[in-house]
Structures are given as C-alpha cells and as structure tokens.
Amino acid sequence: MKTAVVGGGAAGFFLAVNLKEMMPAMEVVIFERSHHVLAKVEVSGGGRCNCTNSFDSVTDLSHVYPRGHRFLKRLFNNFDYQDAYRWFEQHGVPLVTQDDDCVFPQAQDSHAIIDCFLSLARRYHIEIRKGVRVDSLDQLRDFDNVVVTTGGSPKGDGLRWLAVLEHEIETPVPSLFSFSIADEHLHALQGTVVNDVTAMLVGTKIRATGPLLITHWGVSGPAILKLSSHGARYLAEQNYQSPMSIRWLPMQDEEVAALLYEQGVKQPKKQLTTYSPLGLQQRLWTYLVEKALASRAQIRWAELNKKDVNRLVNVLLNDTYQLAGRAPFKDEFVTCGGVSLKAVNPATLESRHVPHLYFAGEVLDIDGVTGGFNFQAAWTTAYTVALSISNNR
Ligand SMILES: Cc1cc2nc3c(=O)[nH]c(=O)nc-3n(C[C@H](O)[C@H](O)[C@H](O)COP(=O)(O)OP(=O)(O)OC[C@H]3O[C@@H](n4cnc5c(N)ncnc54)[C@H](O)[C@@H]3O)c2cc1C
C-alpha cells in the first residue's frame, strides 16, 4: 500500500513517521513544493520551536483554540499534549516546560525536532520529493491514500483544488498579528512592556489579557496576538480599522481613584507627571497623564480634582485607540479558516467527499493562540490520520 503526504511541514512529517511506526510495510512519500522541508518548524518560537504546552493554565479549550476547540477535544483522546511530550522524549528529543507552560526542546533549538524527523524519515525509508507542487489528485493516481498537510493559506490559493473536490472552505484570514496605531507619542514609548493588560475590541466581547509590548508602529505582545486570534474574523470584516481599548492596570475604577487621591495627601507638592504611583513605567505614566489631562498635565498632586481623577481613571482603564491596520510586517503566524471541519469525518479526518483523502494540520479550520498550541494541533491531527489509515488497512 502507498500513502502520499502532500506538504513537508510539521503535520506531514509527524504523520509520515507515525504511519511507518504503525504500518512498517506502508510506502510513504512526502511531496514538498519548495526545496526546504520543515521551514516553519525551523523559524518557530524564535528558532527554539515551542512544540507544545503543559496546558496547566488552560481551563477551557476555547480560550486557546478560537477555531476547532470542540473538534480537538475529541481528537485529544487519540493523542494529546502529554502524548506529544512523551513522544518527543521517547524519540530522542528531551523537552523542558517553562514557567509560562510553554514546552521547548531542552536544546533550545528547533533543529532538535527537525533532526529527529529527518533521521526517522531516513530510518523508515520515507521518500521526500522536493520541488513538487501537488494541486490535483490526478498527480497521485498511484497512491491508495492521500493526506493533505499543506498548512495555512492566508490568500486561499492553496485551497482551490480542494474546493474543486467539493470540500467546504472557511474563508482564510490571517491570525496572530500585531496592530498599527497612528500615534507618534505612543511610538516614542517603543520597547515598553506592561505585564498585565487587558485589550478589548470596542463594541464586542472580544478581549485578551497578558503582557503588551509598545512598538514603533503600535502594539504587540501576547495580549495583542491573543486578541488578534480571537478577533481574526471580526477584524478582517472591519478591514482592521476597529477601535480597541486598553486596560493598563488589573484594577477596578474605585481602587485606582482611591490610590490617586492618596498620592495627593502623600506628596502634594510633586508634579503629577514626574511620579508614577501605580507601577507603570515613568514614560508610559507621563504619556497617559498628558493624554488624560492635556493642558492640566503639569499640575501638582495636591491640585488634582474629581474631574481630573475621573479622566485619569478613564485613560488608565479604558484607553481607546483607532487601529490603523495590521502591523506592516509579515508576522502572521497562522491562518484562521481553511478546509471546513464539516468537510471531514470528525473521528478519522477522512474527507466526506473523496474516500481515502485525509487532512491534518493548519490546512484545516483549526488554529490556536501562541504558546505551542498550533504545533499541538498539528501533532494531534496528524497522529489521528495515521491511526485512521492503519485502522482502515
Ligand atoms: C514565524 C512563525 C513562528 C511560529 N512559531 C510557532 C511556535 O513556536 N509554536 C507553535 O505551536 N506554532 C508556531 N507557529 C505556527 C506553526 O508553525 C504552524 O501552525 C505549523 O507549522 C502548521 O503545520 P503544518 O504542517 O500544518 O503546516 P506547515 O508547517 O506550514 O507545512 C506545510 C508544508 O506544505 C508545503 N506545501 C504547501 N502547499 C503545497 C502543495 N500544493 N504541494 C506540496 N507542498 C505544499 C509547504 O511548503 C510547507 O512546507 C509559527 C509560525 C510561524 C510562521
């Protein structure tokens, strides 16, 4: 029997290797359109490959998989993050879990995973045909099974041949990007990190909490990437011009107001802008005071009146910006959308339209936030397909 794997990325290799372990006699060929396999694994996680997550802080899968969480929950019975952890360690890639729950190779180098896959592919005689783009099943007539692991396709061009085969497609849009904001005074604060902010898309319930990084084009960091993931489709519909608000402090209005009044008593003679009382960096504090109080920003703490306090509380806890698009860098990590989950059997990931055709990885309409969740989805779906093919023998 012969299986063709279309796409030499994370899901493609994981599938090929596991299929050979389950069915050593299966002939497996990986078709890769470029001359460089596992390219995304190589650059992932800043070259360290955040290959899964301990899931210790995950209380609800929908928080980390905006698309596909119900589907994955079931597939985790076949292969979950603990299985992935064990798999890599048993295949010679020791892992470490960071304090933030992200899991990396102990070598802190994505090549640990690439070398593992390539050496297993050699050992199992998996053929890798590079420079071959597959866009029709006619190219693969000799094969008994075909697995599509072509990854995300933000412009949708890689999905056309699958749509021709009747598969429903969820319109692809980018996810995991940072935001442009046209505000030079904010840009001047580039490099500032605030650890516990909540960013919200105004007029929606879409929000995300975590560290935020101010950049020379706007904002980035985990909270913003998470917000872009949960809001991927909404933001695309708004042409990335939505208003967004930032809650700079994890506090309630009354608590912030009380702390501000307290400063008026503690240091009445100090100028408001020169002392940051709430743990925000001095430069950011000055920027926010100037934004809130404009011409009154230079007052002393003793002069702070009720109106000033209300304005400050409003800027500290509901600081609104108009987004001016996605950041001008191609830093999208994943695609939201792809082959609809309606198009596949949820237990086997076999196409409902073409027998013996399967899907795994980001080509499916499953994607997660940062933290190793996207690779975990690739491992889980790829393992499931290997299992389905071997059960179908
Ligand atoms: C910069 C960056 C950093 C990332 N870091 C992380 C991280 O640390 N942790 C995490 O969990 N996720 C991370 N991701 C996301 C993760 O890389 C992807 O979710 C994951 O690679 C998806 O695996 P895949 O096999 O489905 O697709 P891919 O890894 O994209 O592989 C698809 C392969 O198919 C090939 N291909 C496409 N079309 C065809 C065709 N028609 N014929 C033949 N070959 C084809 C492509 O060239 C590619 O090699 C990162 C992504 C990027 C871009």
Side-chain angles (χ1 to χ4, degrees), residues 7 9-11 32-33 44-45 50 132 134 149-151 333 361-362 372 374-375:
E32 168 55 49
R33 71 175 169 196
S44 67
N50 179 191
V132 185
V134 174
T149 58
T150 47
F333 291 162
E362 211 184 299
N374 285 299
F375 279 132

Side-chain angles (χ1 to χ4, degrees), residues 10-329:
F13 270 84
F14 201 69
L15 166 88
V17 164
N18 279 289
L19 187 57
K20 283 297 282 187
E21 292 190 347
M22 292 174 200
M23 302 181 76
M26 174 72 79
E27 249 185 80
V28 179
V29 181
I30 297 177
F31 293 88
E32 168 55 49
R33 71 175 169 196
S34 75
H35 290 279
H36 191 179
V37 293
L38 297 163
K40 275 200 193 165
V41 173
E42 188 168 23
V43 296
S44 67
R48 296 192 298 139
C49 188
N50 179 191
C51 57
T52 185
N53 190 285
S54 71
F55 282 67
D56 280 351
S57 319
V58 179
T59 50
D60 185 331
L61 275 187
S62 69
H63 297 168
V64 290
Y65 289 107
R67 271 99 13 212
H69 53 96
R70 282 194 202 93
F71 204 84
L72 269 182
K73 192 171 179 190
R74 174 175 179 164
L75 298 182
F76 278 168
N77 292 328
N78 299 334
F79 194 87
D80 70 3
Y81 49 96
Q82 287 165 324
D83 297 313
Y85 200 104
R86 258 193 307 274
W87 193 97
F88 281 106
E89 294 234 313
Q90 282 167 359
H91 289 79
V93 184
L95 302 177
V96 283
T97 307
Q98 294 186 166
D99 291 346
D100 62 0
D101 299 339
C102 294
V103 177
F104 288 87
Q106 207 174 71
Q108 300 293 329
D109 187 345
S110 58
H111 291 99
I113 288 182
I114 295 175
D115 293 348
C116 163
F117 286 163
L118 291 180
S119 87
L120 288 172
R122 267 193 305 275
R123 188 193 305 167
Y124 298 150
H125 305 291
I126 294 167
E127 192 186 334
I128 303 168
R129 292 193 202 157
K130 294 183 194 167
V132 185
R133 186 192 178 101
V134 174
D135 51 17
S136 159
L137 282 184
D138 290 343
Q139 290 167 259
L140 305 171
R141 278 207 214 101
D142 296 347
F143 291 86
D144 304 284
N145 307 291
V146 174
V147 192
V148 179
T149 58
T150 47
S153 179
K155 294 197 184 114
D157 43 341
L159 297 165
R160 252 168 243 136
W161 67 289
L162 302 168
V164 168
L165 296 171
E166 309 280 306
H167 297 96
E168 297 87 339
I169 302 292
E170 301 297 339
T171 310
V173 294
S175 180
L176 296 182
F177 46 86
S178 45
F179 299 158
S180 286
I181 294 173
D183 178 342
E184 283 173 14
H185 299 290
L186 182 73
H187 301 172
L189 301 173
Q190 66 171 286
T192 303
V193 176
V194 186
N195 274 327
D196 195 359
V197 309
T198 299
M200 293 162 267
L201 295 177
V202 175
T204 76
K205 291 191 176 149
I206 306 167
R207 58 177 59 207
T209 298
L212 177 145
L213 167 71
I214 301 175
T215 65
H216 64 281
W217 65 85
V219 283
S220 185
I224 296 301
L225 295 179
K226 220 187 288 175
L227 189 69
S228 78
S229 174
H230 286 281
R233 208 159 278 293
Y234 174 79
L235 285 164
E237 282 160 16
Q238 304 297 313
N239 200 22
Y240 307 99
Q241 307 290 320
S242 163
M244 175 196 64
S245 86
I246 298 176
R247 192 176 187 86
W248 292 103
L249 296 162
M251 291 182 193
Q252 296 305 313
D253 296 26
E254 307 74 41
E255 206 181 337
V256 174
L259 286 167
L260 293 173
Y261 281 125
E262 206 179 291
Q263 297 310 313
V265 178
K266 277 192 181 162
Q267 41 208 350
K269 292 203 177 127
K270 275 208 171 144
Q271 226 181 338
L272 210 63
T273 47
T274 58
Y275 176 71
S276 167
L278 301 168
L280 293 172
Q281 288 94 326
Q282 183 60 49
R283 285 194 314 156
L284 175 61
W285 167 255
T286 305
Y287 162 81
L288 293 173
V289 172
E290 285 171 353
K291 189 169 178 183
L293 303 186
S295 60
R296 278 182 60 74
Q298 299 312 319
I299 59 172
R300 294 175 198 285
W301 279 99
E303 296 169 74
L304 198 67
N305 62 33
K306 193 167 173 219
K307 209 166 169 185
D308 298 329
V309 169
N310 287 345
R311 284 191 172 143
L312 273 170
V313 169
N314 191 44
V315 163
L316 289 163
L317 301 185
N318 186 22
D319 187 17
T320 305
Y321 297 87
Q322 180 65 31
L323 299 186
R326 287 187 283 132
F329 300 99

